[in-house]
Amino acid sequence: MAGETPNLLLIDDNAENLGSLRQRLEVMMSAEEVEIRTWVPTEDDGPPADAFESQVDNQTALVITDYDLTTSVKGLFGLSIVGWCQAKSIPVGDFSRGNLAALPKEPNLFELRVPTDDENGAAFVATTFRGFRSLRAGIEAMPALLTERRSLAAVLASLLGRPRLESQFAAYMSRLGAANSALLQQLRNFAGGEHPDDQDKIKLLTYVLGHVLCNAILKYPGPILSRHSLCAYMATTLGEFEAIDPLFNDARYSGPFSAGHSYFWRGDVDRVLDGLGGDPDDSDVESFADRNRQLVEAVLDRALATHACDRCGGMKGGFWCPFTVRPVCERPDCSVPSSSWIPAGAQLCRVERDFYDEWAPLLGL
């Protein structure tokens, strides 16, 4: 219930590693903010599923688990923990220290991938925990969100204070059911004999919106830009971020999951650019990225660095390819505008042409 201290469960079959991560988190997070629980599974715990049930409750806000737990319990993997958490709508993150290739780098929409070193891992856990709690607090502070017939996108737009972005957020949510079968089952239960109370609704809203925001909207640029995609928007390299960052102080996104990162509202970025003035050379402006680059160069009174592209000499951009992790432009020999690999709302994401041509036929796309 609201007012009770939420808890965070850390699971690892290595007690020393578990203790180290817990110590770092206790420095970052107070006991008033979170109760940190740890679990080293053993055969003496009995059936793993029952043992897991005894470790979580209604106040469990986040679970973090090692991928391979077989050292202490034969056949127990983090994948089972992930599945159990998804069935309960508990956010869950996993990692693999022993075999880094055991887990794909990219999680599915309702899964979180935790850095394996303690320092970055602890920072990720703290930011993620606070991100979900911030969303939950926002929902609890706006009771009308539970009674009015609003779309998920409308709820998120209201929580972030950007109601006009509902349609852009909605595009990221077009395939939620396909991403989590447990979510569909829970919705079926609610439509059937179960009658969710407000706490059930708050928990489900927090779970869904938190993952969409963290794993889709903030990862694939559209209404919100990361520092990588901001530089691509200016048709330059990430190495220029420190130079252009101060120009966009008024465009910063400081909402859930932003701690330790640099994000920017695209609409505010555009307003800043419009306010820079300047008179771009129309003869050299073929796209918005050309204009953006020229405006920033005029303010800095120097040329921006070029990025690594042999098609344009690194002078163009505007878009970000999340697969080759580099700027791309709208030229047909440079990138593909959309595919099933990118959320529909990610208007500033495109797939680099060479990468797409290589892999699309193999994947039947």
Side-chain angles (χ1 to χ4, degrees):
M1 295 181 182
E4 295 185 24
T5 303
N7 63 75
L8 161 64
L9 176 62
L10 309 175
I11 308 172
D12 200 331
D13 56 1
N14 185 310
E16 183 178 350
N17 290 339
L18 197 60
S20 177
L21 178 57
R22 177 172 187 161
Q23 286 180 347
R24 288 183 177 273
L25 285 170
E26 287 175 339
V27 172
M28 297 179 177
M29 309 172 77
S30 69
E32 289 73 25
E33 180 180 8
V34 61
E35 174 195 350
I36 301 176
R37 300 177 178 179
T38 59
W39 178 33
V40 180
T42 70
E43 297 287 356
D44 295 335
D45 293 335
D50 293 341
F52 171 76
E53 288 282 349
S54 70
Q55 299 290 332
V56 299
D57 55 35
N58 289 334
Q59 293 304 310
T60 303
L62 179 64
V63 172
I64 303 296
T65 181
D66 187 10
Y67 171 74
D68 188 353
L69 302 168
T70 57
T71 301
S72 56
V73 179
K74 184 178 180 181
L76 180 59
F77 287 91
L79 190 61
S80 296
I81 305 292
V82 169
W84 296 334
C85 287
Q86 290 178 341
K88 291 177 171 293
S89 297
I90 299 174
V92 57
D94 50 5
F95 61 89
S96 177
R97 285 194 180 94
N99 182 3
L100 297 181
L103 285 171
K105 292 182 180 180
E106 292 296 320
N108 65 43
L109 181 59
F110 290 95
E111 183 182 3
L112 304 161
R113 191 71 74 242
V114 185
T116 55
D117 62 289
D118 281 348
E119 182 175 356
N120 289 320
F124 175 90
V125 171
T127 294
T128 302
F129 173 87
R130 288 167 176 156
F132 279 101
R133 294 303 297 178
S134 175
L135 285 172
R136 183 182 181 103
I139 296 170
E140 291 174 340
M142 300 173 69
L145 295 178
L146 301 179
T147 57
E148 297 177 359
R149 290 183 175 273
R150 298 193 189 187
S151 68
L152 286 171
V155 172
L156 181 59
S158 295
L159 291 172
L160 298 183
R162 301 276 171 149
R164 293 183 179 180
L165 295 182
E166 176 186 350
S167 61
Q168 294 187 45
F169 291 150
Y172 285 90
M173 304 182 189
S174 59
R175 293 177 291 196
L176 287 181
N180 188 345
S181 58
L183 174 63
L184 279 181
Q185 184 57 51
Q186 187 159 352
L187 292 175
R188 290 191 187 101
N189 292 340
F190 287 167
E194 296 186 16
H195 299 286
D197 59 22
D198 284 352
Q199 290 304 308
D200 292 327
K201 294 176 182 177
I202 290 171
K203 181 177 182 179
L204 189 59
L205 274 175
T206 302
Y207 178 79
V208 174
L209 296 180
H211 283 94
V212 170
L213 180 57
C214 180
N215 275 346
I217 295 173
L218 294 179
K219 186 174 292 185
Y220 298 95
I224 301 176
L225 309 180
S226 68
R227 61 194 186 108
H228 294 83
S229 51
L230 178 70
C231 291
Y233 200 53
M234 308 301 146
T236 190
T237 175
L238 182 63
E240 292 282 20
F241 178 71
E242 289 188 7
I244 67 176
D245 177 39
L247 300 177
F248 299 101
N249 279 330
D250 292 340
R252 294 189 185 282
Y253 165 83
S254 57
F257 308 108
S258 64
H261 302 279
S262 295
Y263 294 110
F264 304 84
W265 291 105
R266 179 189 174 184
D268 291 346
V269 167
D270 288 338
R271 278 187 281 277
V272 170
L273 288 168
D274 289 340
L276 292 181
D279 187 18
D281 183 356
D282 290 340
S283 65
D284 291 334
V285 175
E286 297 179 352
S287 71
F288 66 86
D290 295 333
R291 174 181 179 275
N292 294 348
R293 182 185 179 96
Q294 286 193 24
L295 287 170
V296 172
E297 286 179 338
V299 172
L300 298 180
D301 195 25
R302 66 171 176 84
L304 288 170
T306 57
H307 55 87
C309 178
D310 56 12
R311 294 175 294 264
C312 67
M315 293 289 292
K316 294 189 174 295
F319 300 90
W320 178 252
C321 176
F323 304 101
T324 60
V325 291
R326 48 192 269 177
V328 293
C329 72
E330 56 195 350
R331 283 172 35 168
D333 64 333
C334 184
S335 67
V336 176
S338 64
S339 76
S340 58
W341 304 351
I342 294 174
Q347 299 168 342
L348 293 181
C349 269
R350 290 166 71 108
V351 183
E352 191 159 4
R353 166 61 73 177
D354 292 345
F355 182 87
Y356 182 82
D357 287 346
E358 178 181 1
W359 290 102
L362 295 175
L363 298 175
L365 298 173

